[in-house]
Amino acid sequence: MQLPREVIVGDGTIENVAEISRRLGFTKSALIIAGSKATYEIAGKTVKELLEDRKMEVNTFLVETATVKDVGAVEEKIKALKPQVVFGVGGGTKIDVAKCSSARQETPFISIPTTASHDGISSPLSSIKGFDKPYSVMAQAPIAIIADTNIIMQSPWRLTVSGCGDVVAKFTAVRDWKLAHEEKNEYYGGYAASLAVMSAKLVMENAELISKKGEEGLRILIEALISCGVSMSIAGSSRPCSGSEHVFSHALEMIKPNHSLHGERCGVGTIMMAYLHRANWKYIRTTLEKLGAPTNAAALGVEKEDTVKALETAATMRPERYTILNELNLSHEDCEKVAKATGVIQP
Ligand SMILES: [Zn+2]
């Protein structure tokens, strides 16, 4: 079980980066992976300056996407520079690339998210385009997470709402996991599952507070995202955090790439999967509405037919991951009925 050793959430926490680095024994060299000028200016530069103030040798490498090629390029950098630690500074993609390449080169990794858009900020998994799978693969858990709420508050609100969708998704992910345990005798970890469920519950209960866009609500979301990441570290897989709603999201993204954000698709998926699990799907929808998150196909920017097709093909996305979709084996007509009954497509 790999778990983060330092988790720091709050206003101005980025100022502690050098101290945390020292506490973990990294006093000589670091490589910062950041994104375009925007995220570099907002956080990467500060990290570099603070580490250099402590006489550390700091190199920076900017990436725009999270592809196999990006991971390869960063791996080459790590091989050449041999930094003691790799920092991933930015939104999802930068953290994914830093996490995956540092894991492959057996170098510790520190996560400094500038957005709260999904649980990859703290999980041991990376989502990289170009691998043979459309979903996340095991990499390594960050040794430290520094989430500065002042920085994250400057990111577009839509990203934060998407992060809420990714947490709400645990409502059905854990039900799928339990189902796989009962039907397929798959390993089920009660502790990891409880941690994921509790995160979803906290975000749902505080939807109104979060929607006020203040620091208090953001903190709840960030802590939930971090707990979700930790639950995956405990489980040793993404099981507690990724079920039928996630395979639906992957299927929809395959059918129509780049139309919406990961957490937005997962949120809409959770409404339908909760319906299939005979759970309180209306509560999921009301919560997402409160947060201002998409609750239907039109809001996601996809056609009716694409949504139905994604539902129909979702179970084949990840055959080894048994979910309610495998259990029910829905026909095209069934899928259409589900999408209509939950208001995801218009009747
Ligand atoms: Zn997710």
Short mmCIF file of all heavy atoms in Angstrom, two decimals, residues 222-250:
data_model
loop_
_atom_site.label_atom_id
_atom_site.label_comp_id
_atom_site.label_asym_id
_atom_site.label_seq_id
_atom_site.Cartn_x
_atom_site.Cartn_y
_atom_site.Cartn_z
N ILE A 222 -11.75 19.30 -2.30
CA ILE A 222 -10.35 18.86 -2.42
C ILE A 222 -10.07 17.70 -1.47
O ILE A 222 -9.44 16.70 -1.85
CB ILE A 222 -9.38 20.03 -2.15
CG1 ILE A 222 -9.52 21.10 -3.24
CG2 ILE A 222 -7.93 19.54 -2.09
CD1 ILE A 222 -8.77 22.39 -2.95
N GLU A 223 -10.57 17.82 -0.24
CA GLU A 223 -10.35 16.73 0.72
C GLU A 223 -11.03 15.45 0.25
O GLU A 223 -10.49 14.36 0.43
CB GLU A 223 -10.84 17.15 2.11
CG GLU A 223 -9.88 18.16 2.74
CD GLU A 223 -10.37 18.79 4.04
OE1 GLU A 223 -11.45 18.39 4.54
OE2 GLU A 223 -9.67 19.69 4.52
N ALA A 224 -12.20 15.59 -0.38
CA ALA A 224 -12.90 14.42 -0.91
C ALA A 224 -12.09 13.79 -2.05
O ALA A 224 -11.92 12.57 -2.10
CB ALA A 224 -14.29 14.81 -1.40
N LEU A 225 -11.58 14.62 -2.93
CA LEU A 225 -10.78 14.10 -4.06
C LEU A 225 -9.53 13.38 -3.54
O LEU A 225 -9.16 12.32 -4.05
CB LEU A 225 -10.37 15.23 -5.01
CG LEU A 225 -11.48 15.83 -5.87
CD1 LEU A 225 -11.01 17.11 -6.54
CD2 LEU A 225 -11.96 14.83 -6.93
N ILE A 226 -8.91 13.96 -2.54
CA ILE A 226 -7.70 13.34 -1.97
C ILE A 226 -8.06 12.01 -1.30
O ILE A 226 -7.37 11.01 -1.49
CB ILE A 226 -6.97 14.31 -1.01
CG1 ILE A 226 -6.39 15.49 -1.81
CG2 ILE A 226 -5.87 13.59 -0.23
CD1 ILE A 226 -5.80 16.61 -0.99
N SER A 227 -9.17 11.99 -0.56
CA SER A 227 -9.60 10.74 0.08
C SER A 227 -9.89 9.66 -0.96
O SER A 227 -9.61 8.49 -0.75
CB SER A 227 -10.86 10.96 0.92
OG SER A 227 -10.60 11.93 1.90
N CYS A 228 -10.47 10.07 -2.09
CA CYS A 228 -10.74 9.11 -3.16
C CYS A 228 -9.42 8.52 -3.68
O CYS A 228 -9.30 7.31 -3.88
CB CYS A 228 -11.50 9.76 -4.31
SG CYS A 228 -13.19 10.19 -3.89
N GLY A 229 -8.44 9.39 -3.87
CA GLY A 229 -7.12 8.93 -4.32
C GLY A 229 -6.53 7.94 -3.33
O GLY A 229 -6.01 6.89 -3.71
N VAL A 230 -6.66 8.25 -2.05
CA VAL A 230 -6.13 7.37 -1.01
C VAL A 230 -6.89 6.04 -1.01
O VAL A 230 -6.30 4.97 -0.84
CB VAL A 230 -6.20 8.08 0.37
CG1 VAL A 230 -5.94 7.10 1.51
CG2 VAL A 230 -5.20 9.23 0.43
N SER A 231 -8.21 6.09 -1.25
CA SER A 231 -8.98 4.84 -1.27
C SER A 231 -8.47 3.91 -2.37
O SER A 231 -8.44 2.70 -2.22
CB SER A 231 -10.48 5.11 -1.42
OG SER A 231 -10.80 5.42 -2.75
N MET A 232 -8.04 4.49 -3.50
CA MET A 232 -7.49 3.67 -4.59
C MET A 232 -6.13 3.09 -4.19
O MET A 232 -5.81 1.96 -4.55
CB MET A 232 -7.36 4.49 -5.87
CG MET A 232 -8.71 4.81 -6.50
SD MET A 232 -8.54 5.65 -8.08
CE MET A 232 -8.90 7.33 -7.60
N SER A 233 -5.35 3.88 -3.46
CA SER A 233 -4.07 3.38 -2.97
C SER A 233 -4.29 2.21 -2.02
O SER A 233 -3.58 1.21 -2.07
CB SER A 233 -3.29 4.47 -2.25
OG SER A 233 -2.82 5.42 -3.17
N ILE A 234 -5.30 2.32 -1.18
CA ILE A 234 -5.60 1.25 -0.23
C ILE A 234 -6.09 0.00 -0.96
O ILE A 234 -5.68 -1.11 -0.68
CB ILE A 234 -6.64 1.72 0.82
CG1 ILE A 234 -6.03 2.83 1.69
CG2 ILE A 234 -7.12 0.56 1.69
CD1 ILE A 234 -7.03 3.53 2.59
N ALA A 235 -6.97 0.22 -1.94
CA ALA A 235 -7.52 -0.92 -2.69
C ALA A 235 -6.49 -1.54 -3.64
O ALA A 235 -6.61 -2.69 -4.03
CB ALA A 235 -8.75 -0.47 -3.48
N GLY A 236 -5.51 -0.75 -4.03
CA GLY A 236 -4.52 -1.23 -5.00
C GLY A 236 -5.04 -1.23 -6.43
O GLY A 236 -4.45 -1.82 -7.32
N SER A 237 -6.17 -0.55 -6.64
CA SER A 237 -6.73 -0.41 -7.99
C SER A 237 -7.73 0.75 -7.96
O SER A 237 -8.01 1.31 -6.91
CB SER A 237 -7.47 -1.69 -8.40
OG SER A 237 -8.75 -1.73 -7.80
N SER A 238 -8.30 1.06 -9.12
CA SER A 238 -9.26 2.16 -9.16
C SER A 238 -10.68 1.71 -8.79
O SER A 238 -11.62 2.49 -8.86
CB SER A 238 -9.28 2.79 -10.56
OG SER A 238 -9.69 1.82 -11.51
N ARG A 239 -10.83 0.44 -8.39
CA ARG A 239 -12.14 -0.13 -8.11
C ARG A 239 -13.09 0.74 -7.26
O ARG A 239 -14.24 0.94 -7.64
CB ARG A 239 -11.99 -1.49 -7.44
CG ARG A 239 -12.43 -2.69 -8.28
CD ARG A 239 -13.78 -2.54 -8.90
NE ARG A 239 -14.19 -3.76 -9.60
CZ ARG A 239 -15.35 -3.88 -10.23
NH1 ARG A 239 -16.20 -2.87 -10.27
NH2 ARG A 239 -15.68 -4.97 -10.85
N PRO A 240 -12.63 1.27 -6.11
CA PRO A 240 -13.59 2.03 -5.29
C PRO A 240 -14.08 3.31 -5.95
O PRO A 240 -15.08 3.88 -5.54
CB PRO A 240 -12.80 2.36 -4.01
CG PRO A 240 -11.38 2.12 -4.35
CD PRO A 240 -11.33 1.13 -5.46
N CYS A 241 -13.39 3.76 -6.99
CA CYS A 241 -13.70 5.08 -7.56
C CYS A 241 -14.15 5.03 -9.00
O CYS A 241 -14.45 6.07 -9.59
CB CYS A 241 -12.45 5.97 -7.45
SG CYS A 241 -12.03 6.31 -5.74
N SER A 242 -14.16 3.87 -9.60
CA SER A 242 -14.47 3.79 -11.03
C SER A 242 -15.27 2.54 -11.34
O SER A 242 -14.75 1.43 -11.30
CB SER A 242 -13.14 3.82 -11.80
OG SER A 242 -13.33 3.45 -13.13
N GLY A 243 -16.56 2.75 -11.62
CA GLY A 243 -17.45 1.63 -11.94
C GLY A 243 -18.14 1.87 -13.27
O GLY A 243 -17.56 2.43 -14.20
N SER A 244 -19.43 1.46 -13.31
CA SER A 244 -20.20 1.55 -14.56
C SER A 244 -20.27 2.99 -15.09
O SER A 244 -20.25 3.22 -16.31
CB SER A 244 -21.61 1.01 -14.32
OG SER A 244 -22.16 1.58 -13.14
N GLU A 245 -20.37 3.98 -14.17
CA GLU A 245 -20.46 5.38 -14.62
C GLU A 245 -19.18 5.81 -15.32
O GLU A 245 -19.22 6.61 -16.25
CB GLU A 245 -20.79 6.30 -13.44
CG GLU A 245 -19.67 6.55 -12.43
CD GLU A 245 -19.13 5.30 -11.75
OE1 GLU A 245 -19.93 4.45 -11.36
OE2 GLU A 245 -17.90 5.18 -11.61
N HIS A 246 -18.04 5.23 -14.91
CA HIS A 246 -16.77 5.56 -15.56
C HIS A 246 -16.63 4.88 -16.91
O HIS A 246 -16.15 5.48 -17.86
CB HIS A 246 -15.58 5.22 -14.65
CG HIS A 246 -15.14 6.37 -13.79
ND1 HIS A 246 -15.91 6.83 -12.74
CD2 HIS A 246 -14.04 7.16 -13.82
CE1 HIS A 246 -15.28 7.85 -12.17
NE2 HIS A 246 -14.15 8.08 -12.80
N VAL A 247 -17.05 3.62 -17.02
CA VAL A 247 -16.97 2.96 -18.34
C VAL A 247 -17.92 3.66 -19.33
O VAL A 247 -17.61 3.79 -20.50
CB VAL A 247 -17.20 1.43 -18.31
CG1 VAL A 247 -15.99 0.73 -17.73
CG2 VAL A 247 -18.47 1.03 -17.60
N PHE A 248 -19.05 4.14 -18.81
CA PHE A 248 -19.96 4.92 -19.68
C PHE A 248 -19.23 6.18 -20.18
O PHE A 248 -19.27 6.51 -21.36
CB PHE A 248 -21.24 5.30 -18.93
CG PHE A 248 -22.03 6.38 -19.60
CD1 PHE A 248 -22.78 6.11 -20.75
CD2 PHE A 248 -22.02 7.69 -19.13
CE1 PHE A 248 -23.49 7.12 -21.39
CE2 PHE A 248 -22.72 8.70 -19.76
CZ PHE A 248 -23.46 8.41 -20.90
N SER A 249 -18.55 6.85 -19.26
CA SER A 249 -17.81 8.07 -19.63
C SER A 249 -16.73 7.76 -20.67
O SER A 249 -16.58 8.49 -21.65
CB SER A 249 -17.17 8.68 -18.37
OG SER A 249 -16.14 9.57 -18.72
N HIS A 250 -16.01 6.65 -20.49
CA HIS A 250 -14.97 6.27 -21.46
C HIS A 250 -15.59 5.97 -22.83
O HIS A 250 -15.05 6.35 -23.86
CB HIS A 250 -14.18 5.05 -20.98
CG HIS A 250 -13.47 5.27 -19.67
ND1 HIS A 250 -12.83 6.44 -19.37
CD2 HIS A 250 -13.31 4.46 -18.59
CE1 HIS A 250 -12.30 6.34 -18.14
NE2 HIS A 250 -12.59 5.16 -17.66
#
